Amino acid sequence: MNETTRIVIVGAGHAGGSAVALLRQYGWKGTITLIGDEPVPPYQRPPLSKAWLKGEASAESLALRPAKFYADNDVEMRLATTVAAIDRAGRTVTLADGEVLAYDHLILATGARARKLSIPGIDLAGVLELRSAADADKLKAALLPGTRVAIVGGGYIGLEAAASARALGAEVTIIEREARLLARVASTSLSAFFDAFHQEQGVAIELNADVAALEGEGGHVSAVRLADGRAIPCDVALIGVGAIANAELASAAGIDCAGGIRVDLSARTSDASIFAIGDCTHRPLHHYGREHRLESVPNALEQAKQVASALTGRKLPAHEVPWFWSDQYNLKLQIAGLSFDTAETVLRGDPSSNSFAVFHLAADGCLRSVEAVNAASEFMAGKMLIASRKPLARERLADMSVSMKDLL
Amino acid sequence: MPKITYIEHDGTEHPMEVPVGLTVMQGAVDNSVPGIDADCGGACACATCHVYVDPEWLGKTGTPNEQEASMLSFAAVTESNSRLSCQIEVTSELDGLIVRMPEGQH
Ligand SMILES: Cc1cc2nc3c(=O)[nH]c(=O)nc-3n(C[C@H](O)[C@H](O)[C@H](O)COP(=O)(O)OP(=O)(O)OC[C@H]3O[C@@H](n4cnc5c(N)ncnc54)[C@H](O)[C@@H]3O)c2cc1C
Ligand code: FES
């Protein structure tokens, strides 16, 4: 590495912004160019459905780093700029306006985008999604006391938006195609708990409900039409039906992809000069012996550390246990691990007290994942136990008189 | 503006002016003070913004709530003056506050 070695980063989000900071912190002396298609420097998305949406966090507090950080650290920022193509043989990227930039190392941090529904009415005004700050501005402007919001999709973003919308006095209906909320991402016990909690907070929930169309009046959405013929009247429809990795740039350049850009544990793609980090990757999971795509801030940070370490010749960081959090009403959900190959479920605490944890064990008694609601000790200890692979005694795990520290 | 002194594990001092209403964590991140990772951005979910509050200031920084206390009890090398800096809001009362950072946050 020398002062003329060039790193180009595509995507100025949580992963790209963190990689910049870590590269400089780890002593990268070469040039860094951070290219992002959004008009603003890297910011945090989690508050967009939570504290920020409720009006409890300022717009400035979303910034990943203060704006001057990039200039101070000699990072060239190209905002509102889209990368259109990668030329691997020539080691260049071409911008949408035709400009060509050369790289020695390329980092793809292109994130994911909200999945679109291809149904009639999807282009009506008042049909929103929630991925970017610009999306969030539109949603927030629409959420007034009494606004009727139909949320299509009962995943984390949908549930968090529902909780925030209730806090703002809006009327909320969640429409979910599956038989339960959080069907892809949580256990049945957790789904049942959140279903009951949202209903207590006045949210209407339609399960097994297929959306056939969005209907409008004067070009603005007025109802969600279900496949069974029923109409759910609304002033705003928020579509939150999952995210798709922005991997097209990589796959068009012939880089190995599998629903995300395939990387190793140093975040390197099938091209040794190209790395990929964050939501756009399909990555090995050290603790689970398989590959998967993750969508979380801790994942983006872990991979940013991997690439920064690889490029500055540092030892690779320790393997993290994947984790995630979600805030809804006064509930703090923290999840550690992934529920692969689980054989048994152990409940600790009483869901009716709004503080409990669901542990998922493999057949050998080792912890694979924990879902903790207002139960930070269970989450923190669970994260350690997943990494240590220590077999657990079910009775002790379920026994609240045994402290989590004693189970480590 | 309240002055807060952040002291790295190696003793390097970072005196900073931090606006009222931000958290002690944000004051560090906004000024690129190393030693506070703040992975979750202040959601009290990650425990990577751990600091030791100078004992003289403990009366003014308040005490951790249940979530914070549980998170702290599993962080590395906690002491009786340990806090998660994202849970300390900067007030004019905290002008002069001194916090020290642990050796690592992970
Ligand atoms: C509403 C919401 C709430 C969330 N809540 C949580 C939470 O509570 N906890 C948690 O862990 N995670 C949460 N997440 C997920 C988390 O925000 C993501 O995992 C994280 O942002 C991933 O970072 P990234 O850099 O990979 O992608 P992003 O942050 O999406 O950044 C990618 C950037 O690249 C840009 N880009 C893409 N293609 C190009 C191109 N060709 N040229 C230029 N730029 C390009 C994109 O526009 C974007 O700005 C939430 C996400 C959302 C949307
Ligand atoms: S920043 Fe995550 S707990 Fe303070």
Side-chain angles (χ1 to χ4, degrees):
Chain A
M1 179 218 327
N2 60 41
E3 283 168 24
T4 58
T5 312
R6 295 154 301 186
I7 292 180
V8 170
I9 304 179
V10 185
H14 214 121
S18 302
V20 163
L22 289 163
L23 281 163
R24 287 297 187 222
Q25 190 185 323
Y26 294 173
W28 176 260
K29 296 277 187 303
T31 69
I32 302 178
T33 305
L34 180 62
I35 309 172
D37 58 7
E38 292 186 70
V40 285
Y43 60 89
Q44 314 178 56
R45 295 175 205 277
L48 297 180
S49 49
K50 310 179 183 75
W52 180 86
L53 191 56
K54 279 193 286 183
E56 289 171 2
S58 67
E60 303 82 67
S61 72
L62 298 184
L64 200 58
R65 292 285 180 299
K68 67 174 169 34
F69 173 86
Y70 303 95
D72 288 353
N73 284 278
D74 201 13
V75 174
E76 189 195 356
M77 286 263 260
R78 305 284 298 254
L79 298 177
T81 302
T82 304
V83 172
I86 305 168
D87 172 4
R88 293 203 286 138
R91 293 204 186 175
T92 61
V93 294
T94 304
L95 307 183
D97 66 5
E99 188 182 340
V100 174
L101 299 179
Y103 65 81
D104 296 297
H105 307 284
L106 180 65
I107 303 175
L108 301 174
T110 48
R113 61 182 179 274
R115 198 163 79 81
K116 309 257 187 263
L117 288 178
S118 40
I119 50 171
I122 197 74
D123 296 325
L124 287 166
V127 179
L128 307 178
E129 58 184 40
L130 183 49
R131 176 77 200 176
S132 66
D135 297 335
D137 280 334
K138 285 187 212 155
L139 179 61
K140 193 171 187 174
L143 290 180
L144 303 171
T147 303
R148 295 165 307 167
V149 193
I151 299 181
V152 178
Y156 286 118
I157 290 181
L159 296 193
E160 288 176 355
S164 300
R166 287 302 292 150
L168 295 169
E171 300 298 324
V172 181
T173 304
I174 297 176
I175 301 162
E176 168 59 52
R177 189 183 59 182
E178 303 295 326
R180 60 183 178 99
L181 299 175
L182 302 173
R184 283 184 312 116
V185 288
S187 67
T188 48
S189 339
L190 202 73
S191 296
F193 172 80
F194 277 101
D195 190 303
F197 202 93
H198 276 274
Q199 293 204 50
E200 271 167 38
Q201 302 296 321
V203 173
I205 300 177
E206 297 286 346
L207 299 174
N208 301 303
D210 242 328
V211 174
L214 297 160
E215 295 177 350
E217 277 164 24
H220 195 283
V221 69
S222 60
V224 177
R225 178 71 64 182
L226 302 182
D228 66 11
R230 284 182 301 149
I232 313 243
C234 65
D235 307 305
V236 187
L238 174 66
I239 314 293
V241 293
I244 297 174
N246 291 323
E248 291 80 1
L249 195 60
S251 59
I255 296 167
D256 196 7
C257 292
I261 307 168
R262 290 189 68 193
V263 291
D264 65 14
L265 284 172
S266 58
R268 208 182 288 267
T269 68
S270 58
D271 179 325
S273 323
I274 305 181
F275 296 78
I277 56 178
D279 283 12
C280 65
T281 67
H282 183 79
R283 57 161 291 177
L285 297 172
H286 169 79
H287 296 286
Y288 296 88
R290 69 184 71 209
E291 292 185 359
H292 200 68
R293 194 166 82 76
L294 300 176
E295 287 171 12
S296 72
V297 164
N299 172 60
L301 294 174
E302 184 188 16
Q303 291 186 302
K305 278 181 207 157
Q306 290 172 351
V307 69
S309 301
L311 288 174
T312 55
R314 273 168 84 106
K315 193 167 146 281
L316 288 179
H319 302 294
E320 302 234 2
V321 171
W323 71 277
F324 187 77
W325 77 93
S326 175
D327 296 331
Q328 299 166 42
Y329 310 106
N330 56 353
L331 304 174
K332 181 169 294 292
L333 167 67
Q334 291 166 287
I335 296 182
L338 297 160
S339 292
F340 290 123
D341 312 320
T342 59
E344 199 181 341
T345 291
V346 176
L347 175 68
R348 181 178 165 97
D350 178 5
S352 70
S353 71
N354 296 339
S355 166
F356 66 100
V358 188
F359 292 89
H360 301 276
L361 309 181
D364 59 6
C366 292
L367 188 62
R368 308 299 277 172
S369 71
V370 55
E371 302 167 311
V373 175
N374 293 344
S377 300
E378 281 70 11
F379 164 75
M380 290 292 275
K383 197 139 100 64
M384 295 175 182
L385 286 165
I386 292 165
S388 70
R389 303 187 196 190
K390 179 180 163 188
L392 293 167
R394 286 89 171 147
E395 319 72 53
R396 281 170 51 83
L397 190 55
D399 183 350
M400 291 290 281
S401 70
V402 178
S403 92
M404 287 309 296
K405 283 230 152 124
D406 291 336
L407 291 164
L408 291 181
Chain B
M1 237 187 255
K3 198 183 101 189
I4 301 180
T5 303
Y6 299 87
I7 307 180
E8 286 185 69
H9 191 71
D10 68 6
T12 313
E13 295 195 8
H14 302 267
M16 293 294 165
E17 310 235 303
V18 183
V20 167
L22 294 193
T23 63
V24 172
M25 176 279 281
Q26 285 169 319
V29 172
D30 285 2
N31 291 295
S32 308
V33 174
I36 292 183
D37 290 355
D39 288 357
C40 76
C44 200
C46 70
T48 67
C49 63
H50 177 195
V51 296
Y52 305 110
V53 173
D54 187 272
E56 293 206 357
W57 290 89
L58 283 171
K60 293 198 170 131
T61 50
T63 46
N65 66 16
E66 205 183 323
Q67 165 82 14
E68 183 188 343
S70 301
M71 294 294 294
L72 273 171
S73 68
F74 288 89
V77 219
T78 40
E79 304 286 348
S80 57
N81 59 339
S82 286
R83 288 294 307 272
L84 295 179
S85 56
C86 70
Q87 301 302 304
I88 308 174
E89 189 177 321
V90 178
T91 58
S92 51
E93 284 244 279
L94 292 186
D95 188 15
L97 175 69
I98 299 170
V99 297
R100 294 184 174 76
M101 271 83 87
E103 189 167 4
Q105 297 281 2
H106 274 260

